[in-house]
Amino acid sequence: MTFVLAVDDDPAILRTLSINLRARGYDVETAGDGRSALQIVQERMPDVVILDLGLPDLDGVAVLKRLRSHAQVPVVVLSARHESDDKVEALDEGADDYVTKPFDMEELLARVRAAIRRTGGDGAPFVVEVGDVRLDITERQATRNGEEVRLTPTEWHIVEVLARREGRLVRQAELLHEVWGPGYDRETNYLRVFLAQLRRKLEADPARPTLFITDPGIGYRLVV
Amino acid sequence: MTFVLAVDDDPAILRTLSINLRARGYDVETAGDGRSALQIVQERMPDVVILDLGLPDLDGVAVLKRLRSHAQVPVVVLSARHESDDKVEALDEGADDYVTKPFDMEELLARVRAAIRRTGGDGAPFVVEVGDVRLDITERQATRNGEEVRLTPTEWHIVEVLARREGRLVRQAELLHEVWGPGYDRETNYLRVFLAQLRRKLEADPARPTLFITDPGIGYRLVV
DNA sequence: ACTCGGCGTCAAGATCGCGTCAAGATCCGC
DNA sequence: GCGGATCTTGACGCGATCTTGACGCCGAGT
């Protein structure tokens, strides 16, 4: 399981990061300051670090240096828009990538994935293969009979949640909650629409699905 | 045993929560206000907290903060739909999950399981096996001689209630109450119809049931 | 032996959930 | 600001599921 360390002084941001990363199957640790971040690193080397620059104790760049001094762990830097100088400095110092606050979660996740991939990953490529369909979750690449199939972000998100529990049941409310967030727990028509789209794109016979199975009244599952 | 703390100012809700959680094997404590909730937390750290926002003394968000300040216990928030969105948003930053009232019990239970699973606790898989019949309650998968048997939502619900008390008697009114809700306590013909269906699908000889036993005039039980 | 209550069985009608489609609304890159 | 992709929303038909009523059987009580 990929291990991600998130470092930020704002607990709210740590929280959202934590939730979103965990929801995508990462193992997450958080740190509110540079000191504890370095401590965690010493205990267990992360596969990627998400690092805010504005920390209460050490400077973010200092943390970055210390990290780099004896490890090649990829670092994605978070920075407020106005700290442009720091940003440059951070990149100089070896940050792999950066995202400016306020950031879009999808974008950050994409960068995290990219950072992991660039360093060879932790050897946890996440691929589901069924018949002539191949779903590479980490790379976000879907093929059918070798031909590429384009999936929209929402479609990917659904596939991801289902694939993480391959074969097992995912309840409607749960799926809605994971993909659309809280408050959408009852919008089951979304599921109907998107599952239909996924089937049209991926199933041999969309009317007789073999991949995306419906458990009427309960939820869906991805059969492998 | 997993320890759940439920916090709500409405005794009725606390009651249903308590009953349902206990029925599923959780150890439950309840608190009617923020102060007592925090007190309980100090005495014994729960594995998960279910927290309503509208508390008589402290604000729910305040309780959440206090909880968060020195513990990473997962919190599932209950919130009424009409409460302002920004409150919900603020919550979103601190809570692991939330469910809007009026909530579906199954849904809430799913969230509680998810919250526990996320923090390493084990979600309890629930499987009943008798002869060549296998009933996986959490996954909603039934097999007979290895072959999958499809059960409808209501059938599952009945199986679930019976399975939870494996072997022990469940009174008619009780079963009706659990599955169809209050006001159906006398519709015993429902039970006759559905039990017959279950037997037809699962029993070797539906006329001579060995799984779903009738106690005439009293109720039913699932023999294991 | 007859009656009666409770149960299992069956089938028809009502209802619900799902898949499908299409028309706005919204987002995003150019 | 424009145009295409994507997401949201509403409507509709169909099949599965649930509800409802009727009937016959069996055992207990009279």
Side-chain angles (χ1 to χ4, degrees), chain A residues 12 15 19 22 165 168-169 171 173-174 177 182-183 185-186 214-218 221, chain B residues 68 81 93-98 102-104 107 111 113 117 138-141 150 153:
Chain A
R15 200 86 208 136
I19 292 170
R22 287 220 177 89
R165 311 220 209 147
R168 306 220 317 283
L169 173 71
R171 281 156 203 284
E174 218 170 325
H177 205 84
D185 299 1
R186 287 159 209 272
T214 303
D215 276 81
I218 323 267
R221 66 180 91 204
Chain B
R68 268 285 143 20
R81 191 171 293 281
E93 291 172 356
D96 287 62
D97 214 337
Y98 83 77
F103 58 88
D104 173 42
E107 188 186 318
R111 305 241 174 284
R113 276 195 301 270
R117 169 157 30 90
T138 43
E139 283 293 320
R140 298 255 152 147
Q141 226 159 11
R150 291 186 63 84

Side-chain angles (χ1 to χ4, degrees), chain B residues 50-72:
Chain B
I50 300 171
L51 176 66
D52 179 45
L53 284 189
L55 295 176
D57 53 348
L58 300 170
D59 184 8
V61 181
V63 176
L64 187 57
K65 268 190 196 150
R66 295 275 280 277
L67 269 172
R68 268 285 143 20
S69 66
H70 52 50
Q72 68 291 12

Side-chain angles (χ1 to χ4, degrees), chain A residues 136-184:
Chain A
D136 188 328
I137 310 294
T138 44
E139 296 281 344
R140 299 245 154 163
Q141 227 164 14
T143 56
R144 209 180 126 202
N145 300 318
E147 283 173 40
E148 178 162 357
V149 178
R150 284 183 58 83
L151 299 186
T152 70
T154 309
E155 285 163 7
W156 269 120
H157 208 322
I158 292 172
V159 167
E160 200 176 318
V161 174
L162 290 176
R164 203 176 310 133
R165 311 220 209 147
E166 48 170 38
R168 306 220 317 283
L169 173 71
V170 180
R171 281 156 203 284
Q172 293 176 344
E174 218 170 325
L175 192 49
L176 284 163
H177 205 84
E178 283 251 29
V179 176
W180 279 270
Y184 286 77

Side-chain angles (χ1 to χ4, degrees), chain B residues 4-51:
Chain B
V4 182
L5 170 61
V7 190
D8 200 303
D9 60 328
D10 183 349
I13 291 186
L14 281 186
R15 209 179 132 66
T16 37
L17 279 175
S18 191
I19 291 172
N20 278 282
L21 287 165
R22 288 220 176 88
R24 278 154 182 93
Y26 296 103
D27 190 8
V28 184
E29 273 284 349
T30 61
D33 56 68
R35 238 168 273 285
S36 33
L38 291 172
Q39 173 124 22
I40 290 171
V41 167
Q42 220 158 25
E43 289 165 8
R44 179 182 168 200
M45 184 57 66
D47 297 297
V48 57
V49 178
I50 300 171
L51 176 66

Side-chain angles (χ1 to χ4, degrees), chain A residues 4-29:
Chain A
V4 182
L5 170 61
V7 190
D8 200 304
D9 60 327
D10 182 349
I13 290 186
L14 281 185
R15 200 86 208 136
T16 32
L17 279 175
S18 188
I19 292 170
N20 278 284
L21 288 166
R22 287 220 177 89
R24 279 159 181 86
Y26 296 103
D27 191 7
V28 184
E29 272 285 349

